[in-house]
């Protein structure tokens, strides 16, 4: 029997191909361009195939290198890829503007993604957590997944995903208790040990010298709406201070961990001197957007590949521009 997930994926791909052929996707793209939109893509990890076998990151944050390569090539041919470090300069005629961002500061952003974007001269922005750099398995979701895979071999990916999602909004102490209950396999003794590393300061400085823009993503990846205001304030402030002192320049860009923000967290960001902050809410950056709540489009392998697993332009255009346009129409104030 064909798994339901495969059937759904195929149906979605067929719908995307029809939209691509008939024209609504193109219409959405032209509307966005006329409104001076910047569509900001939110990526996390780009992995070589051998790393896919070894990572404990969930599939919702992973792209294969070959898929990213084809995506980057498509972007370079079809769109104006802008550097967020220079700030978008208002509506421009010509191609629709797109920005490429990476969250978390994974080692593969430098080792796998950067060679692809550098070869095509595409600017990227990377949001890092200064308190979690140069570590083998710094984020708790990978530690939970590693523990669950080791202790519950029968658990499906969907079950594991549900557990991780549920733990996101629990008290950090409760999360730690779950981890110690499950037992944490040591990164070094586990085959995934080296696949889930974060960038070092050395790599960040090298990337910075080649023109990569850096922004903050809190000090230790706390979900700002789930911690005390005092903790949120120091997570925000410390991340900016650490980045600025390492890079020797002002750092005014921020991405909310998990995209979560509130009026209180936006005020804390403004106090700390950040001028632009990016969420995970699907949408485009327009002149009317709150600069401290700029929408992005999260992309993972399933979002932009067809049933054969190859990058699909039709899927990308449908998942990004059609959906973004539909969202921005729904949220536009009534005329
Ligand atoms: Zn993150």
């Amino acid at each position: 029997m064909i798994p339901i997930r495969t059937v759904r994926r195929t149906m979605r791909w067929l719908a995307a191909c029809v939209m691509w052929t008939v024209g609504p996707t193109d219409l959405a793209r032209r509307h966005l361009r006329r409104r001076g939109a910047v569509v900001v893509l939110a990526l996390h990890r780009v992995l070589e195939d051998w790393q896919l076998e070894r990572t404990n990151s969930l599939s919702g944050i992973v792209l294969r290198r070959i898929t990213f390569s084809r995506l980057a090539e498509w972007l370079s041919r079809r769109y104006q890829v802008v550097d967020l470090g220079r700030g978008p300069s208002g509506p421009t005629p010509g191609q629709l503007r797109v920005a490429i961002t990476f969250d978390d500061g994974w080692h593969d952003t430098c080792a796998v993604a950067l060679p692809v974007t550098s070869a095509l001269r595409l600017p990227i922005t990377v949001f890092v957590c200064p308190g979690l750099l140069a570590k083998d398995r710094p984020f708790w979701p990978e530690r939970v997944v590693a523990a669950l895979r080791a202790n519950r071999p029968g658990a499906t990916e969907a079950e594991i995903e549900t557990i991780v999602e549920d733990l996101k909004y629990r008290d950090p102490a409760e999360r730690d208790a779950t981890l110690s209950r499950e037992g944490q396999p040591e990164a070094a003794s586990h085959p995934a040990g080296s696949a889930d590393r974060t960038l070092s300061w050395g790599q960040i400085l090298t990337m910075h010298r080649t023109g990569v823009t850096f922004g903050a993503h809190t000090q230790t990846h706390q979900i700002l709406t789930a911690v005390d205001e005092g903790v949120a304030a120091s997570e925000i402030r410390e991340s900016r201070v650490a980045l600025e002192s390492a890079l020797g320049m002002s750092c005014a860009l921020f991405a909310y961990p998990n995209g979560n923000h509130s009026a209180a967290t936006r005020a804390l960001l403004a106090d700390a001197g950040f001028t632009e902050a990016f969420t995970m809410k699907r949408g485009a950056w327009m002149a009317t957007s709150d600069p401290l709540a700029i929408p992005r489009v999260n992309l993972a392998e399933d979002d932009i590949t067809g049933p054969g697993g190859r990058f699909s332009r039709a899927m990308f255009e449908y998942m990004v521009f059609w959906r973004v346009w539909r969202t921005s129409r729904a949220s536009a104030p009534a005329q």
Side-chain angles (χ1 to χ4, degrees):
M1 209 170 98
I2 304 168
I4 189 79
R5 188 165 161 266
T6 309
V7 174
R8 265 205 219 113
R9 252 187 96 176
T10 307
M11 297 296 286
R12 201 170 58 168
W13 174 72
L14 282 171
C17 291
V18 170
M19 302 276 277
W20 165 272
T21 312
V22 177
T25 317
D26 189 46
L27 196 69
R29 200 174 42 225
R30 278 189 277 139
H31 274 287
L32 289 166
R33 192 191 65 211
R34 272 204 298 275
R35 293 186 63 185
V38 180
V39 177
V40 184
L41 305 177
L43 313 179
H44 291 79
R45 310 204 59 186
V46 178
L47 299 179
E48 301 282 3
D49 285 354
W50 65 267
Q51 291 173 309
L52 290 172
E53 313 273 307
R54 301 172 65 178
T55 181
N56 281 302
S57 287
L58 292 169
S59 59
I61 65 166
V62 173
L63 280 179
R64 289 171 64 207
R65 188 190 59 77
I66 185 69
T67 305
F68 178 67
S69 222
R70 289 181 175 142
L71 164 66
E73 214 172 284
W74 179 242
L75 293 176
S76 72
R77 275 170 43 198
R78 187 91 176 192
Y79 298 96
Q80 184 191 348
V81 181
V82 296
D83 184 352
L84 293 180
R86 293 167 192 267
S89 52
T92 50
Q95 294 165 311
L96 174 59
R97 292 177 300 170
V98 169
I100 306 170
T101 66
F102 288 91
D103 282 10
D104 302 337
W106 296 95
H107 182 269
D108 48 89
T109 303
C110 176
V112 187
L114 187 61
V116 174
T117 53
S118 294
L120 294 165
R121 298 177 184 278
L122 297 178
I124 63 170
T125 298
V126 184
F127 295 103
V128 300
C129 300
L132 298 178
L133 295 176
K135 293 193 190 306
D136 260 352
R137 196 181 283 160
F139 300 101
W140 67 262
E142 280 71 26
R143 294 200 295 275
V144 169
V145 171
L148 292 172
R149 283 178 178 164
N151 300 339
R152 305 187 199 181
T156 64
E157 284 304 290
E159 285 163 351
I160 291 176
E161 243 170 74
T162 306
I163 295 171
V164 171
E165 200 53 37
D166 178 56
L167 283 172
K168 265 184 192 170
Y169 300 98
R170 299 287 179 89
D171 190 78
E174 203 176 330
R175 272 200 313 252
D176 292 346
T178 307
L179 271 168
S180 55
R181 226 179 16 252
E182 293 286 344
Q184 297 182 54
E186 284 302 313
S189 64
H190 191 278
S194 63
D196 295 333
R197 252 190 311 155
T198 39
L199 293 166
S200 65
W201 278 117
Q203 284 173 309
I204 288 177
L205 292 174
T206 306
M207 291 166 82
H208 176 59
R209 279 196 291 273
T210 65
V212 173
T213 295
F214 282 91
H217 195 42
T218 72
Q219 187 69 357
T220 62
H221 208 269
Q222 298 296 327
I223 293 181
L224 294 175
T225 51
V227 294
D228 290 345
E229 202 167 310
V231 174
S234 55
E235 282 280 329
I236 292 168
R237 206 178 40 247
E238 283 170 20
S239 62
R240 183 165 190 213
V241 169
L243 262 181
E244 290 190 341
S245 61
L247 301 179
M249 64 179 289
S250 169
C251 164
L253 303 179
F254 186 91
Y256 299 98
N258 205 47
N260 301 81
H261 62 98
S262 64
T265 52
R266 292 193 297 278
L268 291 173
L269 277 178
D271 282 350
F274 288 102
T275 54
E276 271 113 26
F278 296 84
T279 70
M280 279 296 181
K281 188 172 177 228
R282 189 196 305 274
W285 187 2
M286 312 267 199
T288 50
S289 303
D290 178 346
L292 293 180
I294 299 168
R296 290 191 291 175
V297 183
N298 186 56
L299 286 185
E301 186 73 12
D302 278 4
D303 298 323
I304 55 173
T305 50
R310 276 176 66 92
F311 171 69
S312 158
R313 297 165 187 176
M315 273 291 279
F316 169 73
E317 302 274 317
Y318 170 77
M319 292 299 284
V320 177
F321 304 112
W322 170 254
R323 289 197 163 188
V324 161
W325 182 57
R326 213 175 49 180
T327 310
S328 59
R329 266 200 325 170
S331 59
Q335 298 278 308

